């Protein structure tokens, strides 16, 4: 940008705002010109996108060549980081330490801005190769330029004219710079958008990005671009790795059927490493040689096992953290052989939230003071506060209790109506659960019981009454539109009001007629749209129909079992397999039992059912 020409004198005077290197007197013209100290500012995008050992020296050479006579670079500030970072995040990258850059470094962009504010700074101007080296966002680039200008430091670019005349015109150079900054920002955004679209098309065609997940191998295909193919580059799809694919399926079953935690699943797998080979990390020296809870967690969180290609699961520029699942990009259809069903993957993803804070294993916990275990731990909920009830023992009798704490829950809306403490005996719960399974799951009349429950739920919902009311409301709306339509037609037929229209200017009359015709068309469209809605008003499809579940229910044996006599481990496997949820309502002294029978867990449920047979 514009800079006042250096005054000829023997030493450089401190600058003042608006005149970066102005002096307070005019020395004799015979005095040789002084040197204008300049700071150089450089930047490369990232250590992966560019070679800083080549890019930064090039930028310095071009900046030095563009300097007017008498201007000398006395300080070097540069970074190896993205120019799109927030301004407060700039200058903190240590990536430059990974390279042998043949330029002394006086600091980062942040250091340059801080020194510019000091009265004893070493420079009177800053030069960069091109203005986009300062920032890739126009707002940040102009902000940096403004801060330097307020400090009396000019920001120059090697590919722009450096104007030093006292009457220099700034309008056109400023416009040129702003256009360059806008084009630079547009270019980056366009490249990001095109790259995003390219990745979407890439996964839509079934190509994998990154290392194949555990359980899959890479089926390499020569790259479709001849130049890249000549370099030996390939693309790959996922194919099952037989010895490891079965381990993935088993892990999902342990999580979905038994609701086991990550460490508990790892312990199961470590019992037979030959059948379930542990994962091999990219770095062999980091291999544990066994399964860990974190390895199990990574598998359970990877949606590629459903047969779909999924991209953008992790924000690699933000430490590799997981993105929100709604930001994941899925292929429109399965593109490789799945190891688990989509339904099982969705069900497994909710296990952690449902069981948070509760052990998944049976038996007492490891605390030294523990004397017994509670078979229904994590399955019983208080219907008032929707919290899990916990086990307590009094006089050798097991109970499940709910005792909200005043200091912790006093602000909850349910707290005033919640008893200080409510208890229910374990024996009562197990008796009710045993009768439920004996009649509703393993009983002869289980299908009729399910049909009755579904019919009762439908009646309670009042779907038929609601639909009738919605149809009546739509009818009234359509009738009102018809009346407005008739009045508008009469208005048009009468010439928009009779004699009054004759007094209007011809242009005004035309405008009124146009408005009336537009209103006429809008009413027609609205009436047609509403007329189609009653046809779509029908009773909501029931989530479960008894007839649809007949084959699934018939697959279970007919048993008359007393669960109180069944070992705790088998009981908990049964409850976990069916996703048992017991809700106790103290005000009504009622128990509500709910189970789910997903078809993908049928094999595991059958095994549990056979263990219950006498």
């Amino acid at each position: 940008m514009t800079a006042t020409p250096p005054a000829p004198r023997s030493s450089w005077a401190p600058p003042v705002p608006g005149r970066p290197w102005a002096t307070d007197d005019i020395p004799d013209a015979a005095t040789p010109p002084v040197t204008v100290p300049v700071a150089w500012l450089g930047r490369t995008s990232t250590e992966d996108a560019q070679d800083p050992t080549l890019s930064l020296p090039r930028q310095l050479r071009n900046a030095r060549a563009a300097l007017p006579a008498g201007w000398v670079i006395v300080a070097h500030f540069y970074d190896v980081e993205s120019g799109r970072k927030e301004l407060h995040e700039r200058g903190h990258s240590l990536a430059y330490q990974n390279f042998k850059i043949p330029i002394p470094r006086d600091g980062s962009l942040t250091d340059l801005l801080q020194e510019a504010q000091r009265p004893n700074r070493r420079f009177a101007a800053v030069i960069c190769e091109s203005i986009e080296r300062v920032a890739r966002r126009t707002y940040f680039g102009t902000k940096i330029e403004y801060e330097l200008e307020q400090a009396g430091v000019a920001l120059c670019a090697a590919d722009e004219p450096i104007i030093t005349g006292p009457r220099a015109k700034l309008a056109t150079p400023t416009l040129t710079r702003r256009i360059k900054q806008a084009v630079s920002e547009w270019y980056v955004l366009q490249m990001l958008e095109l790259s995003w679209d390219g990745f979407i098309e890439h996964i839509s065609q079934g190509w994998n990005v990154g290392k194949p997940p555990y359980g899959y191998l890479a089926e390499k295909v020569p790259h479709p671009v001849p130049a890249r193919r000549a370099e030996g580059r390939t693309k790959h799809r996922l194919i099952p790795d037989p010895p490891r694919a079965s381990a993935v399926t088993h892990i999902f079953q342990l999580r979905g059927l038994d609701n086991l935690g990550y460490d508990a699943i790892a312990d199961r797998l470590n019992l037979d490493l030959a059948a379930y080979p542990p994962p091999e990390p990219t770095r062999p020296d980091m291999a544990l040689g066994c399964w860990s809870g974190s390895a199990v967690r990574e598998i359970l969180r990877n949606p590629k096992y459903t047969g779909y290609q999924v991209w953008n699961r992790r924000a690699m520029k933000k430490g590799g953290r997981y993105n929100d699942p709604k930001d994941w990009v899925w292929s429109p259809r399965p593109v490789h052989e799945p190891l688990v069903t989509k339904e099982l993957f969705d069900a497994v993803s909710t296990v952690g939230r449902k069981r948070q804070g509760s052990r998944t294993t049976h038996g007492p916990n490891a605390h030294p003071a523990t004397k017994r275990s509670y078979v229904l731990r994590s399955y019983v909920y208080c219907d008032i506060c929707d919290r899990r009830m916990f086990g307590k023992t009094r006089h050798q009798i097991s109970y499940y209790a709910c005792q909200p704490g005043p200091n912790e829950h006093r602000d909850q809306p349910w707290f005033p109506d919640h008893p200080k403490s409510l208890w229910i005996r374990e024996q009562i719960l197990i008796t009710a659960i045993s009768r439920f399974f004996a009649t509703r799951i393993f009983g002869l009349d289980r299908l009729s019981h399910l049909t009755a429950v579904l019919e009762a739920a439908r009646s309670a919902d009042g779907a038929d009454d609601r639909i009738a009311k919605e149809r009546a409301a739509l009818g009234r709306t359509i009738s009102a539109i018809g009346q407005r339509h008739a009045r508008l037609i009469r208005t048009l037929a009468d010439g928009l009001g009779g004699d009054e229209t004759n007094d209007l200017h011809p242009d005004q009359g035309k405008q009124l007629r146009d408005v009336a015709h537009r209103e006429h068309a809008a009413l027609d469209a609205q009436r047609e749209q509403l007329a189609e809605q009653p046809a779509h008003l029908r009773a909501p499809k029931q989530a479960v129909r008894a007839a649809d579940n007949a084959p699934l229910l018939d697959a279970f044996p007919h048993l008359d079992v007393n669960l109180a006599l069944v070992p705790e481990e088998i009981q908990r496997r049964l409850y976990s397999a069916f996703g048992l949820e017991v809700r106790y309502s103290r005000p009504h002294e009622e128990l509500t039992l709910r189970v789910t029978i997903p078809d993908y867990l049928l094999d595991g449920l059958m095994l549990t059912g056979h263990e219950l047979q006498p």
Side-chain angles (χ1 to χ4, degrees), residues 285-301:
D285 58 306
M286 300 294 292
L288 298 177
C290 62
W291 285 92
S292 64
S294 60
V296 172
R297 181 181 67 248
E298 289 300 312
I299 289 176
L300 292 172
R301 297 174 71 173

Side-chain angles (χ1 to χ4, degrees), residues 259 355 357-366 370 372-374 377-378 572:
N259 287 353
R355 297 299 186 197
S358 178
R359 289 185 301 114
T360 57
T361 55
H362 67 281
N365 61 35
T370 301
R372 60 153 299 154
S373 61
Y374 298 89
R377 170 180 46 81
S378 76
R572 292 191 61 84

Side-chain angles (χ1 to χ4, degrees), residues 468-483 530:
K469 292 179 181 178
E470 291 182 4
R471 287 182 181 273
L474 279 174
R476 290 192 296 270
T477 303
I478 294 173
S479 177
I481 291 176
Q483 294 174 6
L530 291 173

Side-chain angles (χ1 to χ4, degrees), residues 474-524:
L474 279 174
R476 290 192 296 270
T477 303
I478 294 173
S479 177
I481 291 176
Q483 294 174 6
R484 289 177 57 194
H485 193 270
R487 287 197 299 270
L488 183 60
I489 292 177
R490 287 196 300 270
T491 301
L492 290 173
D494 293 341
L496 294 171
D499 295 336
E500 290 81 356
T501 308
N502 298 329
D503 298 333
L504 296 175
H505 189 276
D507 291 341
Q508 293 177 325
K510 183 178 182 305
Q511 291 178 1
L512 289 175
R513 284 191 294 274
D514 290 344
V515 171
H517 283 298
R518 286 196 298 269
E519 179 69 13
H520 181 273
L523 287 174
D524 272 343

